[in-house]
Amino acid sequence: MEPASVKITSLQELAQFKKSVCDEKQQKASQKKILLCAGAGCIASGSLQLKKALEGKIEEENLGVEIVETGCLGPCAQGPVIVIEPDQILYENLKPEDAAEIVGEHLRKNRAVERLLPRNAKNNQPVLKQSDSDFFRKQTKIVLRNCGQIDPLKIGDYIARDGYFALGKVLTSMKPEEVIDQVKKSGLRGRGGAGFPTGMKWEFTRKAPGDVKYAICNADEGDPGAFMDRSVLEGDPHSVIEGMAIAGYAIGASQGYVYVRAEYPLAVSRLTKAIEHAKSAGLLGQNILGTEFYFDLEIRMGSGAFVCGEETALMQSIEGKRGEPRPRPPFPAQKGLWDRPSLLNNVETYANIPAILLKGADWYASMGTEASKGTKVFALAGAVKNTGLVEVPIGTSLGELIYDIGGGIKGGKKYKAAQIGGPSGGCIPKEFLSVPLDYKTLEELGAIMGSGGLIVMDEDSCMVDVARFFRDFVQDESCGKCVPCRVGTKRMLEILERICAGEGEEGDVQKLIRLGKQIKETSLCGLGQTAPNPVLSTIRHFRSEEHTSELQSRVDIS
C-alpha cells in the first residue's frame, strides 16, 4: 500500500499506515525476495540488464519472486550486486547470463551459487551471509540505515522502517528549543566540511530576528572521488526530507531548498518523486500530521561549480546570481538566502536527524569519540580491493577502514597514502594508519574530514603528481573573486608543473610553503582557506619524494 491516495493527518494515522504496510510485508516474510542495487554505480555496471534477465528466468520458472530496486548496497566496485532475502546472501560481479543459475539453483533449489559469493580477503574463502562479510561486519549504519534495504520510490517502505515518526514526535510532543537541545546534546557536527556543531548552528538561526527563515540542504557534492550524498539521495531521499522538515520546525522556517548538482540526474529524479509522495501523503505542506506546522521543499540545481559548495556562494546561486562567496560576517544564520536567516547543512547531516530524534541524543552520543560523536560515511576509492560506500563510527582508524573493510591494497602492493577531505583535505602517510579518524586528529595531520571522500594510493603513486592534481582542480574551480585564491593557487600550480617537468629550482618547496600559508590566511572563503592543504600536507609528510621524471638530478627538495 502506498499513501499516494491516502492523506495521513495525525501521528495515529501514521502508526496505522505503518502497521498495514508491515502486516503486508510480514505475510511475505518467508518468501524469497531479491534486493537489487540500483544506485548509479551498479546501474552503470549493468544492474538493470541483470534485472531484466532475472525477471525473464523467474517468469519461466513461475516462481513469483519479487525484485526490489534499492539504492546503493555499498560494495560499488563489485557491482552489479544483489541480496536474496530472507537468506541474506549477497552475490557480486553479476552478469545477465548469471540469472539462469541464480534462479535455477538458489531460488528453485535453495542452494547458494558459490562462485558468485564474495570472498574473504584474508583466506579467499566464500562468505555465505552478507553480515559475515568483512566489508559489512565492521560498519555501523545510521545514515545508510535504509540504503540497499528499501525501494526509495515507495514512501511506504520508508514509513515501515519508522520513517516520519521522528517528525511526528517533535511536532506533537517537543518545543523547537527542545529539538535543538537534543541535537546539541547528541554532539552531531556538520558532515560537509570542517565539522561545525550542528545544534549550535540551529540555535543561532532560531534566535536570529525575522519572521521568514529558510532551511537549505547542500547536495552540491564536488570533491573528486566523493559520492556519499548522491548515494543517500538515490537510496533514501525521505530521510533527508524528514531531517529538513524537523530542522524547519526547530528554527522556525516554512520553506526549504535542496541545492543539488545537475550531474546527479538519478538523485534528482528520486528526490523529486519522494517530495511529491511526501506532499501527497500530507507529510509536507500545510498542517503536517494535523498540526499547525507548514513546511515545503523545492529543488534547485547547480551547474557543477565547486565553489558553490561554500554556503554563501550556494545561496547566491539559488538567488540566480553568480556563485561567488561573500564576506562574513554577517553569517547566513543572521543574513543568508535573500538576506533572511538561513540554516545550511549537507545531506549526511540531515539524514542523521530522524534517527537522533527518534532514538535519543544519548544513544547517538554513545558512538564516536569524546569530541566527535556518531558515525561518518566515506566513499572508499582508489587502490583498495573493496571500494565503495561505507559507514563507520568516528574514531575508527584509517588502517581498519583500508585493511579490514577495504580488504587491503590491490595487487599485493604497499600502502603509501590516503587523500581525505578532497581538494580541501590532505594526505595521510602509512605511519598514521593507526590514528583514529576524527576532526581534531585530522586537523593536526594537516587534513580535514570534509564530506568523506577517501582516495587510497599505493607505492607506485607519485605524491608530487597528487599535489599537482588537486592544485589544478582548485585553481580551475576558483571563482576568482579574491586575489589570494585566484592568483596564489595559480602560482602554486605553476611551481608544481615545473617540478613535475623536471625543471624545478632551488627554493621551490619553500615558495610553496610560503604561498600556501599566505593563501590560507588571506582568502575570502573556506575554499581558498583550505586550498593549500593537499600541497602543504604532501610536503609535510613526503618532503623527500622524488618525481618519476628527472627531478632527482634537477632540484633538491630535501
Side-chain angles (χ1 to χ4, degrees), residues 324-349:
E324 291 181 335
R326 61 167 174 76
R328 297 176 299 174
F331 292 95
Q334 284 78 43
K335 190 177 181 181
L337 187 63
W338 291 298
D339 292 335
R340 307 286 189 171
S342 303
L343 169 72
L344 183 85
N345 288 128
N346 85 325
V347 168
E348 185 179 341
T349 308

PDB file of all heavy atoms in Angstrom, residues 324-349:
ATOM      1  N   GLU A 324      29.375  33.205  -6.138  1.00  0.00           N
ATOM      2  CA  GLU A 324      30.605  33.702  -5.526  1.00  0.00           C
ATOM      3  C   GLU A 324      30.389  33.880  -4.031  1.00  0.00           C
ATOM      4  O   GLU A 324      29.320  34.328  -3.610  1.00  0.00           O
ATOM      5  CB  GLU A 324      31.005  35.050  -6.117  1.00  0.00           C
ATOM      6  CG  GLU A 324      31.459  35.002  -7.558  1.00  0.00           C
ATOM      7  CD  GLU A 324      31.864  36.377  -8.057  1.00  0.00           C
ATOM      8  OE1 GLU A 324      31.368  37.388  -7.501  1.00  0.00           O
ATOM      9  OE2 GLU A 324      32.673  36.443  -8.990  1.00  0.00           O
ATOM     10  N   PRO A 325      31.396  33.565  -3.218  1.00  0.00           N
ATOM     11  CA  PRO A 325      31.269  33.788  -1.775  1.00  0.00           C
ATOM     12  C   PRO A 325      31.192  35.284  -1.467  1.00  0.00           C
ATOM     13  O   PRO A 325      31.662  36.116  -2.233  1.00  0.00           O
ATOM     14  CB  PRO A 325      32.554  33.186  -1.207  1.00  0.00           C
ATOM     15  CG  PRO A 325      33.094  32.315  -2.285  1.00  0.00           C
ATOM     16  CD  PRO A 325      32.665  32.928  -3.573  1.00  0.00           C
ATOM     17  N   ARG A 326      30.596  35.589  -0.336  1.00  0.00           N
ATOM     18  CA  ARG A 326      30.580  36.972   0.138  1.00  0.00           C
ATOM     19  C   ARG A 326      31.247  37.021   1.513  1.00  0.00           C
ATOM     20  O   ARG A 326      31.340  36.001   2.211  1.00  0.00           O
ATOM     21  CB  ARG A 326      29.149  37.506   0.211  1.00  0.00           C
ATOM     22  CG  ARG A 326      28.228  36.749   1.146  1.00  0.00           C
ATOM     23  CD  ARG A 326      26.960  37.527   1.390  1.00  0.00           C
ATOM     24  NE  ARG A 326      25.976  36.800   2.165  1.00  0.00           N
ATOM     25  CZ  ARG A 326      26.035  36.597   3.479  1.00  0.00           C
ATOM     26  NH1 ARG A 326      27.070  37.036   4.161  1.00  0.00           N
ATOM     27  NH2 ARG A 326      25.081  35.934   4.107  1.00  0.00           N
ATOM     28  N   PRO A 327      31.711  38.176   1.908  1.00  0.00           N
ATOM     29  CA  PRO A 327      32.400  38.284   3.208  1.00  0.00           C
ATOM     30  C   PRO A 327      31.470  37.918   4.367  1.00  0.00           C
ATOM     31  O   PRO A 327      30.260  38.154   4.317  1.00  0.00           O
ATOM     32  CB  PRO A 327      32.796  39.766   3.270  1.00  0.00           C
ATOM     33  CG  PRO A 327      32.811  40.233   1.854  1.00  0.00           C
ATOM     34  CD  PRO A 327      31.731  39.452   1.163  1.00  0.00           C
ATOM     35  N   ARG A 328      32.053  37.342   5.395  1.00  0.00           N
ATOM     36  CA  ARG A 328      31.327  37.040   6.632  1.00  0.00           C
ATOM     37  C   ARG A 328      32.126  37.594   7.798  1.00  0.00           C
ATOM     38  O   ARG A 328      33.359  37.463   7.789  1.00  0.00           O
ATOM     39  CB  ARG A 328      31.143  35.526   6.780  1.00  0.00           C
ATOM     40  CG  ARG A 328      30.297  34.894   5.695  1.00  0.00           C
ATOM     41  CD  ARG A 328      30.231  33.388   5.855  1.00  0.00           C
ATOM     42  NE  ARG A 328      31.565  32.785   5.770  1.00  0.00           N
ATOM     43  CZ  ARG A 328      31.815  31.492   5.986  1.00  0.00           C
ATOM     44  NH1 ARG A 328      30.822  30.682   6.298  1.00  0.00           N
ATOM     45  NH2 ARG A 328      33.036  31.015   5.896  1.00  0.00           N
ATOM     46  N   PRO A 329      31.491  38.172   8.829  1.00  0.00           N
ATOM     47  CA  PRO A 329      30.045  38.345   8.992  1.00  0.00           C
ATOM     48  C   PRO A 329      29.457  39.382   8.042  1.00  0.00           C
ATOM     49  O   PRO A 329      30.223  40.125   7.456  1.00  0.00           O
ATOM     50  CB  PRO A 329      29.928  38.799  10.459  1.00  0.00           C
ATOM     51  CG  PRO A 329      31.254  39.458  10.759  1.00  0.00           C
ATOM     52  CD  PRO A 329      32.268  38.715   9.943  1.00  0.00           C
ATOM     53  N   PRO A 330      28.097  39.418   7.919  1.00  0.00           N
ATOM     54  CA  PRO A 330      27.134  38.603   8.664  1.00  0.00           C
ATOM     55  C   PRO A 330      27.114  37.160   8.160  1.00  0.00           C
ATOM     56  O   PRO A 330      27.263  36.924   6.967  1.00  0.00           O
ATOM     57  CB  PRO A 330      25.792  39.298   8.383  1.00  0.00           C
ATOM     58  CG  PRO A 330      25.988  39.916   7.030  1.00  0.00           C
ATOM     59  CD  PRO A 330      27.415  40.349   6.986  1.00  0.00           C
ATOM     60  N   PHE A 331      26.922  36.234   9.067  1.00  0.00           N
ATOM     61  CA  PHE A 331      26.839  34.823   8.732  1.00  0.00           C
ATOM     62  C   PHE A 331      25.427  34.489   8.256  1.00  0.00           C
ATOM     63  O   PHE A 331      24.465  35.201   8.575  1.00  0.00           O
ATOM     64  CB  PHE A 331      27.223  33.977   9.946  1.00  0.00           C
ATOM     65  CG  PHE A 331      28.662  34.104  10.320  1.00  0.00           C
ATOM     66  CD1 PHE A 331      29.070  35.018  11.293  1.00  0.00           C
ATOM     67  CD2 PHE A 331      29.631  33.335   9.701  1.00  0.00           C
ATOM     68  CE1 PHE A 331      30.408  35.157  11.633  1.00  0.00           C
ATOM     69  CE2 PHE A 331      30.976  33.465  10.031  1.00  0.00           C
ATOM     70  CZ  PHE A 331      31.363  34.374  10.999  1.00  0.00           C
ATOM     71  N   PRO A 332      25.288  33.394   7.497  1.00  0.00           N
ATOM     72  CA  PRO A 332      23.958  33.031   6.979  1.00  0.00           C
ATOM     73  C   PRO A 332      22.885  32.890   8.056  1.00  0.00           C
ATOM     74  O   PRO A 332      21.706  33.134   7.782  1.00  0.00           O
ATOM     75  CB  PRO A 332      24.214  31.694   6.284  1.00  0.00           C
ATOM     76  CG  PRO A 332      25.634  31.778   5.844  1.00  0.00           C
ATOM     77  CD  PRO A 332      26.344  32.510   6.955  1.00  0.00           C
ATOM     78  N   ALA A 333      23.271  32.504   9.267  1.00  0.00           N
ATOM     79  CA  ALA A 333      22.279  32.368  10.341  1.00  0.00           C
ATOM     80  C   ALA A 333      21.607  33.709  10.655  1.00  0.00           C
ATOM     81  O   ALA A 333      20.465  33.745  11.131  1.00  0.00           O
ATOM     82  CB  ALA A 333      22.931  31.819  11.610  1.00  0.00           C
ATOM     83  N   GLN A 334      22.314  34.793  10.363  1.00  0.00           N
ATOM     84  CA  GLN A 334      21.722  36.126  10.557  1.00  0.00           C
ATOM     85  C   GLN A 334      21.201  36.722   9.250  1.00  0.00           C
ATOM     86  O   GLN A 334      20.135  37.329   9.212  1.00  0.00           O
ATOM     87  CB  GLN A 334      22.757  37.089  11.157  1.00  0.00           C
ATOM     88  CG  GLN A 334      23.039  36.897  12.631  1.00  0.00           C
ATOM     89  CD  GLN A 334      23.954  35.716  12.897  1.00  0.00           C
ATOM     90  OE1 GLN A 334      24.938  35.522  12.188  1.00  0.00           O
ATOM     91  NE2 GLN A 334      23.636  34.911  13.908  1.00  0.00           N
ATOM     92  N   LYS A 335      21.951  36.514   8.179  1.00  0.00           N
ATOM     93  CA  LYS A 335      21.596  37.119   6.896  1.00  0.00           C
ATOM     94  C   LYS A 335      22.076  36.188   5.789  1.00  0.00           C
ATOM     95  O   LYS A 335      23.217  36.236   5.377  1.00  0.00           O
ATOM     96  CB  LYS A 335      22.254  38.495   6.769  1.00  0.00           C
ATOM     97  CG  LYS A 335      21.770  39.315   5.595  1.00  0.00           C
ATOM     98  CD  LYS A 335      22.425  40.696   5.612  1.00  0.00           C
ATOM     99  CE  LYS A 335      21.925  41.547   4.445  1.00  0.00           C
ATOM    100  NZ  LYS A 335      22.570  42.886   4.442  1.00  0.00           N
ATOM    101  N   GLY A 336      21.178  35.332   5.335  1.00  0.00           N
ATOM    102  CA  GLY A 336      21.540  34.332   4.345  1.00  0.00           C
ATOM    103  C   GLY A 336      20.790  34.489   3.043  1.00  0.00           C
ATOM    104  O   GLY A 336      20.902  35.510   2.366  1.00  0.00           O
ATOM    105  N   LEU A 337      20.001  33.478   2.699  1.00  0.00           N
ATOM    106  CA  LEU A 337      19.254  33.479   1.441  1.00  0.00           C
ATOM    107  C   LEU A 337      18.270  34.644   1.413  1.00  0.00           C
ATOM    108  O   LEU A 337      17.458  34.802   2.319  1.00  0.00           O
ATOM    109  CB  LEU A 337      18.528  32.136   1.302  1.00  0.00           C
ATOM    110  CG  LEU A 337      17.812  31.870  -0.025  1.00  0.00           C
ATOM    111  CD1 LEU A 337      18.808  31.831  -1.184  1.00  0.00           C
ATOM    112  CD2 LEU A 337      17.036  30.546   0.049  1.00  0.00           C
ATOM    113  N   TRP A 338      18.354  35.448   0.355  1.00  0.00           N
ATOM    114  CA  TRP A 338      17.530  36.646   0.218  1.00  0.00           C
ATOM    115  C   TRP A 338      17.571  37.519   1.489  1.00  0.00           C
ATOM    116  O   TRP A 338      16.566  38.091   1.901  1.00  0.00           O
ATOM    117  CB  TRP A 338      16.091  36.284  -0.154  1.00  0.00           C
ATOM    118  CG  TRP A 338      15.992  35.747  -1.547  1.00  0.00           C
ATOM    119  CD1 TRP A 338      16.313  36.399  -2.697  1.00  0.00           C
ATOM    120  CD2 TRP A 338      15.568  34.429  -1.943  1.00  0.00           C
ATOM    121  NE1 TRP A 338      16.117  35.576  -3.793  1.00  0.00           N
ATOM    122  CE2 TRP A 338      15.652  34.366  -3.357  1.00  0.00           C
ATOM    123  CE3 TRP A 338      15.121  33.306  -1.247  1.00  0.00           C
ATOM    124  CZ2 TRP A 338      15.312  33.228  -4.081  1.00  0.00           C
ATOM    125  CZ3 TRP A 338      14.785  32.181  -1.967  1.00  0.00           C
ATOM    126  CH2 TRP A 338      14.877  32.136  -3.363  1.00  0.00           C
ATOM    127  N   ASP A 339      18.757  37.554   2.094  1.00  0.00           N
ATOM    128  CA  ASP A 339      19.012  38.364   3.289  1.00  0.00           C
ATOM    129  C   ASP A 339      18.175  37.947   4.498  1.00  0.00           C
ATOM    130  O   ASP A 339      18.009  38.724   5.444  1.00  0.00           O
ATOM    131  CB  ASP A 339      18.781  39.857   2.994  1.00  0.00           C
ATOM    132  CG  ASP A 339      19.821  40.413   2.040  1.00  0.00           C
ATOM    133  OD1 ASP A 339      20.933  39.855   1.984  1.00  0.00           O
ATOM    134  OD2 ASP A 339      19.517  41.401   1.335  1.00  0.00           O
ATOM    135  N   ARG A 340      17.668  36.714   4.475  1.00  0.00           N
ATOM    136  CA  ARG A 340      16.896  36.186   5.611  1.00  0.00           C
ATOM    137  C   ARG A 340      17.753  35.189   6.395  1.00  0.00           C
ATOM    138  O   ARG A 340      18.645  34.540   5.827  1.00  0.00           O
ATOM    139  CB  ARG A 340      15.631  35.474   5.120  1.00  0.00           C
ATOM    140  CG  ARG A 340      14.759  36.309   4.200  1.00  0.00           C
ATOM    141  CD  ARG A 340      14.018  37.376   4.966  1.00  0.00           C
ATOM    142  NE  ARG A 340      13.020  38.034   4.126  1.00  0.00           N
ATOM    143  CZ  ARG A 340      12.109  38.883   4.560  1.00  0.00           C
ATOM    144  NH1 ARG A 340      12.074  39.199   5.836  1.00  0.00           N
ATOM    145  NH2 ARG A 340      11.253  39.447   3.728  1.00  0.00           N
ATOM    146  N   PRO A 341      17.497  35.014   7.684  1.00  0.00           N
ATOM    147  CA  PRO A 341      18.232  33.997   8.445  1.00  0.00           C
ATOM    148  C   PRO A 341      18.074  32.619   7.805  1.00  0.00           C
ATOM    149  O   PRO A 341      16.947  32.197   7.505  1.00  0.00           O
ATOM    150  CB  PRO A 341      17.564  34.049   9.825  1.00  0.00           C
ATOM    151  CG  PRO A 341      17.003  35.428   9.916  1.00  0.00           C
ATOM    152  CD  PRO A 341      16.552  35.774   8.526  1.00  0.00           C
ATOM    153  N   SER A 342      19.185  31.937   7.590  1.00  0.00           N
ATOM    154  CA  SER A 342      19.148  30.674   6.839  1.00  0.00           C
ATOM    155  C   SER A 342      20.057  29.631   7.479  1.00  0.00           C
ATOM    156  O   SER A 342      21.177  29.938   7.905  1.00  0.00           O
ATOM    157  CB  SER A 342      19.582  30.913   5.387  1.00  0.00           C
ATOM    158  OG  SER A 342      18.772  31.884   4.763  1.00  0.00           O
ATOM    159  N   LEU A 343      19.568  28.405   7.499  1.00  0.00           N
ATOM    160  CA  LEU A 343      20.321  27.261   8.008  1.00  0.00           C
ATOM    161  C   LEU A 343      20.786  26.425   6.830  1.00  0.00           C
ATOM    162  O   LEU A 343      19.990  26.087   5.958  1.00  0.00           O
ATOM    163  CB  LEU A 343      19.437  26.415   8.928  1.00  0.00           C
ATOM    164  CG  LEU A 343      19.999  25.054   9.338  1.00  0.00           C
ATOM    165  CD1 LEU A 343      21.151  25.232  10.320  1.00  0.00           C
ATOM    166  CD2 LEU A 343      18.905  24.179   9.939  1.00  0.00           C
ATOM    167  N   LEU A 344      22.061  26.088   6.818  1.00  0.00           N
ATOM    168  CA  LEU A 344      22.594  25.229   5.756  1.00  0.00           C
ATOM    169  C   LEU A 344      23.305  24.040   6.366  1.00  0.00           C
ATOM    170  O   LEU A 344      24.239  24.199   7.153  1.00  0.00           O
ATOM    171  CB  LEU A 344      23.567  26.001   4.866  1.00  0.00           C
ATOM    172  CG  LEU A 344      24.112  25.178   3.695  1.00  0.00           C
ATOM    173  CD1 LEU A 344      23.146  25.223   2.523  1.00  0.00           C
ATOM    174  CD2 LEU A 344      25.474  25.687   3.245  1.00  0.00           C
ATOM    175  N   ASN A 345      22.854  22.833   6.044  1.00  0.00           N
ATOM    176  CA  ASN A 345      23.551  21.595   6.384  1.00  0.00           C
ATOM    177  C   ASN A 345      23.619  20.727   5.136  1.00  0.00           C
ATOM    178  O   ASN A 345      22.871  20.947   4.184  1.00  0.00           O
ATOM    179  CB  ASN A 345      22.825  20.824   7.494  1.00  0.00           C
ATOM    180  CG  ASN A 345      22.943  21.487   8.860  1.00  0.00           C
ATOM    181  OD1 ASN A 345      21.952  21.717   9.543  1.00  0.00           O
ATOM    182  ND2 ASN A 345      24.151  21.807   9.282  1.00  0.00           N
ATOM    183  N   ASN A 346      24.483  19.726   5.152  1.00  0.00           N
ATOM    184  CA  ASN A 346      24.573  18.875   3.967  1.00  0.00           C
ATOM    185  C   ASN A 346      23.685  17.641   4.114  1.00  0.00           C
ATOM    186  O   ASN A 346      23.013  17.434   5.135  1.00  0.00           O
ATOM    187  CB  ASN A 346      26.028  18.499   3.673  1.00  0.00           C
ATOM    188  CG  ASN A 346      26.513  17.295   4.460  1.00  0.00           C
ATOM    189  OD1 ASN A 346      26.120  17.087   5.606  1.00  0.00           O
ATOM    190  ND2 ASN A 346      27.364  16.509   3.849  1.00  0.00           N
ATOM    191  N   VAL A 347      23.646  16.823   3.083  1.00  0.00           N
ATOM    192  CA  VAL A 347      22.763  15.658   3.009  1.00  0.00           C
ATOM    193  C   VAL A 347      22.966  14.723   4.200  1.00  0.00           C
ATOM    194  O   VAL A 347      22.005  14.305   4.867  1.00  0.00           O
ATOM    195  CB  VAL A 347      22.997  14.890   1.684  1.00  0.00           C
ATOM    196  CG1 VAL A 347      22.308  13.527   1.706  1.00  0.00           C
ATOM    197  CG2 VAL A 347      22.503  15.712   0.490  1.00  0.00           C
ATOM    198  N   GLU A 348      24.214  14.376   4.464  1.00  0.00           N
ATOM    199  CA  GLU A 348      24.503  13.416   5.534  1.00  0.00           C
ATOM    200  C   GLU A 348      24.085  13.944   6.902  1.00  0.00           C
ATOM    201  O   GLU A 348      23.577  13.184   7.734  1.00  0.00           O
ATOM    202  CB  GLU A 348      26.000  13.080   5.531  1.00  0.00           C
ATOM    203  CG  GLU A 348      26.377  12.002   6.518  1.00  0.00           C
ATOM    204  CD  GLU A 348      27.861  11.652   6.500  1.00  0.00           C
ATOM    205  OE1 GLU A 348      28.537  11.974   5.513  1.00  0.00           O
ATOM    206  OE2 GLU A 348      28.340  11.068   7.491  1.00  0.00           O
ATOM    207  N   THR A 349      24.271  15.231   7.131  1.00  0.00           N
ATOM    208  CA  THR A 349      23.873  15.822   8.413  1.00  0.00           C
ATOM    209  C   THR A 349      22.370  15.681   8.615  1.00  0.00           C
ATOM    210  O   THR A 349      21.910  15.237   9.677  1.00  0.00           O
ATOM    211  CB  THR A 349      24.265  17.309   8.461  1.00  0.00           C
ATOM    212  OG1 THR A 349      25.647  17.444   8.131  1.00  0.00           O
ATOM    213  CG2 THR A 349      24.022  17.895   9.843  1.00  0.00           C
TER     214      THR A 349
END
